Amino acid sequence: MKSVLKSSSLSLLVIIMLTISLIIPSFAFDVDEAHGAPSDIAGHWAYSYIVKGINYGFINGYPDGTFIPDRAVSRAEFAKMVNAAFKNNNMSAGSFKDVPYSEWYYNDVRKAVAAAYVAGYDDGTFLPNKSISRQEASVMLARIVPAYNFSANLNAYSDKAQIADWAYGSFAKIAGKGYMGAYDDGKLHPMDSLTRAQTAKIICDILDKEDVVTSVVTIKKEDDLKDKIYTNNVTIAKDLGEDDVSFSNCVFLGTLHVQGGADSSVLLKNVRAAEINVNKADSPVRVVLQGESIVVKTTLAKASILETKSLAGGTFGEGFLSVDVAKSAEATFTGSFPKVNITGTDAKVNLESATVSDLTVGYKNASITSDSKSTIKNAVVNAVSSFSGEGAITKMEVNVTGVTYETKPKSWTLATGVKAPTYVEGQASITFSPVNNKTDVAGNVQPTITFSNAIEQYGGGAITAAYLKDNIDLREGSASGTSVPFTATIDSAKKVITIKPTSTLSSGEKYYLSFDTKVFRVTSTKENITAKSSAFTVIDTTPKVAFSPVNGKINHPVATSLTVTFSDAMLKSDGKALDEAYVIANITVTKEGDSTNYNTAPVIASSKKVITIAPPASGWVDGATYTISLVGSKFKNASGTYAKAASASFTAGTASPVLTMTWGDSSDIGEKTITVNASSTVNGKAYFIATTGSIDLTDLTEVMIKNGKDPDGNTCPKISGDITGTVKSFTLSGLSNGTVYYVYGVVEGNGSYSNKTKSGAITTLLPYAALESLSYDYTGGSSTVSLSASTVTLTSDAGVVNLTAVGKDSATVNFAGIGVTDYGDGTAEFTLSDTTTSVAVTITATLTDHRDKAYTVTFKRNTI
């Protein structure tokens, strides 16, 4: 919908007021509680969005009571609204030359830069007061909203050619997500200025539809997180240990701190991150970037591994844009990297099948090692450093004397007075077999470590089997996991070490092979061989289990049998043949809410791979949910490997769910929340919405409730979640207080919808009135009372105590208590006598359209 901003003359007073409104802080207020909606939005197409935006707190009206919905939004105003909406708090170190410290938008621009959704112009300006165009806004929004696999076909719009190349992909994504579309004339108007009304709608839609996490998040256990916007810092904690965590289709506006995980643990797929800081203290952690992913800035402070895999390229899949390697850090790179900067002394960079477009060495004693499959396209060397390995260096700019190389750069330029780099014999190259991260390795593998040069003990002397056993690590599960017993030998050429585990390695387990620095050295040059490690995974020979019906199946025929199919012929745990009693005991079929085992007469196929379970004589109960469960470590194949525990659930028949919903208990109603309690006769997913007006159920479809819409297409407060026959609570939030609502619900389960259910009128609670302060004075002095205090002890002789209370928002204050005199103006007094050593005073705050709030404080005289 297009909003036209008509030209009009503004009085000097209004202009001054509008200017002031950009300087003073924005305070969110509930339109229903304050002075009503702005005076100029009645009948405007964006009325509901403006009201919601004001209540959300990211936009507000002007001091003269207007909103001016069709006024253009500046780049700085847009940043302020976004920051307020998403509670984005991180700030960048600097700003732009046209964003002075004294301006109201200084910090908001810094926040936007830190979140990496804005950038300045090539001349170092930000142009904060320039109206933001719709295509500029689409670029910023595409850096905020997870939009993998969303892209509108812009060919359908006649003005698509007006979209700049730099904005086309972003506009397509934001249009694909439904946040920016055509006007009433069917055109996109990409170069039009975004209005205040349009901004309110877009941000409200994003807040309503996206999973926005505004809190600071700490991840301490293995997890797979999807489709989230993290607006502040996220920390993968040390507690994660060697476990894995993955993020898919997520956006990080704050910093992702990686302090835990193993050497293959952090997977970022179709992710955008403003900044990643890798700082795990004890062992390397691997961060893998995949698909449509961008990390604007990465800092590596400890041992770490960065890998890019199957990057999409282009605007949304450029990978790690800029990586800083800090002092004494050791970083390994695999994949493609536009820019790597060495920003501290004694840093080590290892390139394994990696391409670095621009490498800058800024501090001394840097060590850069690259294998034969790696390339550095351009190296700028500003500090003494060494380049070793067989990798190619296309071009080197040398600005300091003392640079060494093993493989000569194809070309270099020397700064005035700088001597050319010199050749040094390289460290022995090392090859592991199985290669790093190889999977499907045989359990009887004997890993090898092959050196390109003959080696000896670091302290001199020949390498013995005992020395290898003491100085090579083979561990199961993680780099610090259980040590695996082995023997080891070295060949006569002193180049190949063979590790022989004393027993077959476990099926499906990952193993880590490593040695430390100062363990081996090259015999001819006496050069230390630095620490190396590799990992591999043994092929999983665990018998596979498949269920029919598959997990989640609906409408399973009530008279149809179940099957459990193994990939191998099965035996009992004692090695004997399967029998009916054993199968009944270890494969159960239970109905939700019923512990009965409906596996009563299983049929074991002659192959010993398939077990068939017939339905009860009366059939599976129509609409009931059943679970097939296989007990782990009870079925094994001929090689002795056990099948793991497994289960699958299905819903029988074609019964539609029936929703039961209750409401109205005072404990279920809050100031801005309503909780309904619901259950369903068929397992499924429940959807609930709330509206401020009563809607006839014939006008409200199941799909509307599911999508959180009313019949007019307006977005409603909503909640959804899994539901079963057990009563579950669902809380609708973001409501207005003191307002009448109606709640509507529906369940989708077993392939159909339930009955639609509607509540009666539910009124949310009014907010409490409150005290701003409470103070007292007496013969022993004066002080302020904490409003959470229940007792105050006064150190004084008997005498009069004077009280003064100030109500918040001009609330009226009343005092009560034995011997308490209320003067009616917020003051009161009472006497602590020799015989009356304590007085309980109740102070009540009263305010129109609020609930009374009572505070009780007992004043005691210290008689010691």
Side-chain angles (χ1 to χ4, degrees), residues 5 62 68-74 77 131-132 193-196:
L5 182 62
Y62 294 107
I68 314 185
D70 299 319
R71 179 175 178 263
V73 173
S74 72
E77 288 173 322
S131 296
I132 189 170
S193 296
L194 195 69
T195 67
R196 286 167 56 80

Side-chain angles (χ1 to χ4, degrees), residues 303-316:
S304 52
I305 304 165
L306 293 190
E307 180 178 347
T308 63
K309 184 183 294 184
S310 303
L311 283 177
T315 303
F316 302 100

Side-chain angles (χ1 to χ4, degrees), residues 1 32 74 79 131 162 182 206 239 275 379 385 445 451 508 510 517 540 617 648 678 685 697 703 720 724 740 761 828:
M1 181 175 293
D32 294 334
S74 72
S131 296
Q162 296 180 20
I206 292 174
D239 302 33
E275 184 171 357
S385 50
V445 64
F451 300 82
K510 190 167 186 177
T517 190
D540 189 357
K685 190 164 186 179
L697 285 177
V703 175
S720 62
T724 65
V740 176

Side-chain angles (χ1 to χ4, degrees), residues 525-576:
T525 64
K526 310 305 180 188
E527 181 182 8
N528 171 51
I529 298 173
T530 57
K532 296 292 180 183
S533 64
S534 184
F536 61 88
T537 302
V538 172
I539 190 171
D540 189 357
T541 59
T542 304
K544 307 299 186 295
V545 183
F547 296 101
S548 179
V550 297
N551 187 43
K553 181 74 168 64
I554 60 175
N555 300 148
H556 180 71
V558 296
T560 300
S561 297
L562 318 177
T563 60
V564 181
T565 303
F566 297 91
S567 57
D568 306 323
M570 290 289 103
L571 300 169
K572 296 196 298 187
S573 59
D574 61 5
K576 296 180 180 179

Side-chain angles (χ1 to χ4, degrees), residues 66 69-70 83 122 212 258 325 468 474 506 620 655 667 686 746 856:
T66 65
D70 299 319
N83 292 336
D122 291 340
V212 182
V258 181
V325 184
L468 293 174
L474 179 62
S506 299
W620 308 113
S667 63
V746 72
T856 299

